[in-house]
Amino acid sequence: MARLRAEKARLMGFKDYASYSLDNAMAKNTDNTYRFLKQLIAAYTPKAQAETQAIEAYARCTMGPDFKLEPYDRFYYSAKMKKEQYSFSDDDVKPYFNIDSVLVNGVFYAAHRVYGLSFKQRTDLPTYHAD
């Protein structure tokens, strides 16, 4: 598939498939994409480092001064820290982001408002098993 995409891009006059696929996108080319990503990394790195240090400090208070935060520990201690410091957990917001709510109250609603599209459930088609 990658070989066919590269060939398609060359036939269309582009150096690679990324350049071809970005031609009609907002970024327009790979240089703009890389420039944006570098700006994003530069802006976010200090915040990410500060957040990691805060999580590590919290973990050390919990586990002892010699504790070293590993990448696989980050989400666990981040969740514990949020729960303790802010009385907030990811489970508190899950009801607002279930797929049915997002589709019906978000995507389908916006499609109707913006484009006038309406969606109806079809029961005459085979679907996955309910389980």
Side-chain angles (χ1 to χ4, degrees), residues 31-46:
D31 293 337
N32 291 342
T33 303
Y34 287 125
R35 191 175 314 112
F36 172 74
L37 289 173
K38 286 177 183 175
Q39 288 174 346
L40 190 65
I41 289 167
Y44 186 70
T45 297

mmCIF file of all heavy atoms in Angstrom, residues 31-46:
data_model
loop_
_atom_site.group_PDB
_atom_site.id
_atom_site.type_symbol
_atom_site.label_atom_id
_atom_site.label_comp_id
_atom_site.label_asym_id
_atom_site.label_seq_id
_atom_site.Cartn_x
_atom_site.Cartn_y
_atom_site.Cartn_z
ATOM 1 N N ASP A 31 6.466 21.167 4.885
ATOM 2 C CA ASP A 31 7.239 22.193 5.599
ATOM 3 C C ASP A 31 6.368 22.928 6.611
ATOM 4 O O ASP A 31 6.794 23.177 7.746
ATOM 5 C CB ASP A 31 7.856 23.190 4.614
ATOM 6 C CG ASP A 31 8.924 22.563 3.744
ATOM 7 O OD1 ASP A 31 9.501 21.533 4.161
ATOM 8 O OD2 ASP A 31 9.174 23.087 2.636
ATOM 9 N N ASN A 32 5.157 23.297 6.207
ATOM 10 C CA ASN A 32 4.238 23.972 7.128
ATOM 11 C C ASN A 32 3.862 23.061 8.284
ATOM 12 O O ASN A 32 3.747 23.505 9.422
ATOM 13 C CB ASN A 32 2.974 24.417 6.397
ATOM 14 C CG ASN A 32 3.233 25.537 5.426
ATOM 15 O OD1 ASN A 32 4.247 26.221 5.502
ATOM 16 N ND2 ASN A 32 2.332 25.723 4.481
ATOM 17 N N THR A 33 3.666 21.790 7.982
ATOM 18 C CA THR A 33 3.308 20.828 9.022
ATOM 19 C C THR A 33 4.430 20.702 10.041
ATOM 20 O O THR A 33 4.194 20.762 11.260
ATOM 21 C CB THR A 33 3.006 19.449 8.401
ATOM 22 O OG1 THR A 33 1.968 19.606 7.436
ATOM 23 C CG2 THR A 33 2.578 18.457 9.454
ATOM 24 N N TYR A 34 5.657 20.538 9.578
ATOM 25 C CA TYR A 34 6.797 20.419 10.500
ATOM 26 C C TYR A 34 7.006 21.708 11.290
ATOM 27 O O TYR A 34 7.318 21.675 12.479
ATOM 28 C CB TYR A 34 8.068 20.038 9.748
ATOM 29 C CG TYR A 34 8.077 18.603 9.296
ATOM 30 C CD1 TYR A 34 8.268 18.278 7.972
ATOM 31 C CD2 TYR A 34 7.897 17.562 10.212
ATOM 32 C CE1 TYR A 34 8.266 16.955 7.548
ATOM 33 C CE2 TYR A 34 7.900 16.246 9.803
ATOM 34 C CZ TYR A 34 8.084 15.942 8.471
ATOM 35 O OH TYR A 34 8.081 14.638 8.069
ATOM 36 N N ARG A 35 6.828 22.852 10.649
ATOM 37 C CA ARG A 35 6.972 24.140 11.345
ATOM 38 C C ARG A 35 5.943 24.237 12.472
ATOM 39 O O ARG A 35 6.266 24.629 13.594
ATOM 40 C CB ARG A 35 6.801 25.290 10.358
ATOM 41 C CG ARG A 35 7.181 26.636 10.928
ATOM 42 C CD ARG A 35 7.116 27.784 9.900
ATOM 43 N NE ARG A 35 7.742 27.454 8.638
ATOM 44 C CZ ARG A 35 7.074 27.286 7.469
ATOM 45 N NH1 ARG A 35 5.770 27.416 7.439
ATOM 46 N NH2 ARG A 35 7.708 27.002 6.362
ATOM 47 N N PHE A 36 4.700 23.863 12.181
ATOM 48 C CA PHE A 36 3.653 23.897 13.197
ATOM 49 C C PHE A 36 3.979 22.954 14.344
ATOM 50 O O PHE A 36 3.845 23.312 15.515
ATOM 51 C CB PHE A 36 2.301 23.530 12.575
ATOM 52 C CG PHE A 36 1.215 23.347 13.592
ATOM 53 C CD1 PHE A 36 0.646 24.437 14.230
ATOM 54 C CD2 PHE A 36 0.770 22.079 13.924
ATOM 55 C CE1 PHE A 36 -0.343 24.273 15.179
ATOM 56 C CE2 PHE A 36 -0.222 21.902 14.873
ATOM 57 C CZ PHE A 36 -0.779 22.995 15.497
ATOM 58 N N LEU A 37 4.409 21.739 14.019
ATOM 59 C CA LEU A 37 4.736 20.777 15.069
ATOM 60 C C LEU A 37 5.897 21.253 15.942
ATOM 61 O O LEU A 37 5.877 21.083 17.169
ATOM 62 C CB LEU A 37 5.054 19.411 14.459
ATOM 63 C CG LEU A 37 3.852 18.665 13.872
ATOM 64 C CD1 LEU A 37 4.314 17.413 13.150
ATOM 65 C CD2 LEU A 37 2.838 18.337 14.950
ATOM 66 N N LYS A 38 6.894 21.870 15.324
ATOM 67 C CA LYS A 38 8.019 22.395 16.106
ATOM 68 C C LYS A 38 7.568 23.521 17.040
ATOM 69 O O LYS A 38 8.013 23.603 18.184
ATOM 70 C CB LYS A 38 9.130 22.877 15.172
ATOM 71 C CG LYS A 38 9.887 21.724 14.535
ATOM 72 C CD LYS A 38 10.928 22.221 13.563
ATOM 73 C CE LYS A 38 11.621 21.043 12.876
ATOM 74 N NZ LYS A 38 12.549 21.458 11.839
ATOM 75 N N GLN A 39 6.669 24.386 16.569
ATOM 76 C CA GLN A 39 6.137 25.456 17.419
ATOM 77 C C GLN A 39 5.325 24.868 18.572
ATOM 78 O O GLN A 39 5.420 25.324 19.713
ATOM 79 C CB GLN A 39 5.245 26.399 16.609
ATOM 80 C CG GLN A 39 5.985 27.278 15.654
ATOM 81 C CD GLN A 39 5.031 28.079 14.765
ATOM 82 O OE1 GLN A 39 3.841 27.796 14.684
ATOM 83 N NE2 GLN A 39 5.575 29.087 14.085
ATOM 84 N N LEU A 40 4.541 23.853 18.264
ATOM 85 C CA LEU A 40 3.726 23.199 19.272
ATOM 86 C C LEU A 40 4.603 22.547 20.334
ATOM 87 O O LEU A 40 4.364 22.698 21.536
ATOM 88 C CB LEU A 40 2.833 22.149 18.605
ATOM 89 C CG LEU A 40 1.747 21.512 19.437
ATOM 90 C CD1 LEU A 40 0.711 22.551 19.850
ATOM 91 C CD2 LEU A 40 1.086 20.393 18.651
ATOM 92 N N ILE A 41 5.647 21.867 19.901
ATOM 93 C CA ILE A 41 6.569 21.216 20.841
ATOM 94 C C ILE A 41 7.267 22.258 21.711
ATOM 95 O O ILE A 41 7.368 22.104 22.930
ATOM 96 C CB ILE A 41 7.590 20.351 20.081
ATOM 97 C CG1 ILE A 41 6.889 19.123 19.495
ATOM 98 C CG2 ILE A 41 8.743 19.932 20.980
ATOM 99 C CD1 ILE A 41 7.715 18.366 18.480
ATOM 100 N N ALA A 42 7.732 23.339 21.099
ATOM 101 C CA ALA A 42 8.428 24.389 21.856
ATOM 102 C C ALA A 42 7.507 25.025 22.894
ATOM 103 O O ALA A 42 7.923 25.313 24.018
ATOM 104 C CB ALA A 42 8.964 25.450 20.905
ATOM 105 N N ALA A 43 6.240 25.213 22.527
ATOM 106 C CA ALA A 43 5.298 25.843 23.450
ATOM 107 C C ALA A 43 4.865 24.891 24.558
ATOM 108 O O ALA A 43 4.661 25.307 25.699
ATOM 109 C CB ALA A 43 4.068 26.331 22.689
ATOM 110 N N TYR A 44 4.737 23.620 24.251
ATOM 111 C CA TYR A 44 4.198 22.674 25.220
ATOM 112 C C TYR A 44 5.256 22.030 26.116
ATOM 113 O O TYR A 44 4.948 21.623 27.230
ATOM 114 C CB TYR A 44 3.397 21.574 24.513
ATOM 115 C CG TYR A 44 2.712 20.657 25.481
ATOM 116 C CD1 TYR A 44 1.633 21.119 26.228
ATOM 117 C CD2 TYR A 44 3.146 19.365 25.691
ATOM 118 C CE1 TYR A 44 1.009 20.307 27.155
ATOM 119 C CE2 TYR A 44 2.523 18.539 26.607
ATOM 120 C CZ TYR A 44 1.444 19.011 27.338
ATOM 121 O OH TYR A 44 0.843 18.207 28.250
ATOM 122 N N THR A 45 6.494 21.957 25.679
ATOM 123 C CA THR A 45 7.536 21.254 26.437
ATOM 124 C C THR A 45 7.685 21.767 27.874
ATOM 125 O O THR A 45 7.707 20.959 28.809
ATOM 126 C CB THR A 45 8.872 21.290 25.682
ATOM 127 O OG1 THR A 45 8.706 20.584 24.448
ATOM 128 C CG2 THR A 45 9.987 20.647 26.472
ATOM 129 N N PRO A 46 7.777 23.077 28.114
ATOM 130 C CA PRO A 46 7.911 23.530 29.508
ATOM 131 C C PRO A 46 6.728 23.116 30.385
ATOM 132 O O PRO A 46 6.907 22.711 31.534
ATOM 133 C CB PRO A 46 7.994 25.053 29.397
ATOM 134 C CG PRO A 46 8.412 25.323 28.000
ATOM 135 C CD PRO A 46 7.871 24.203 27.176
#
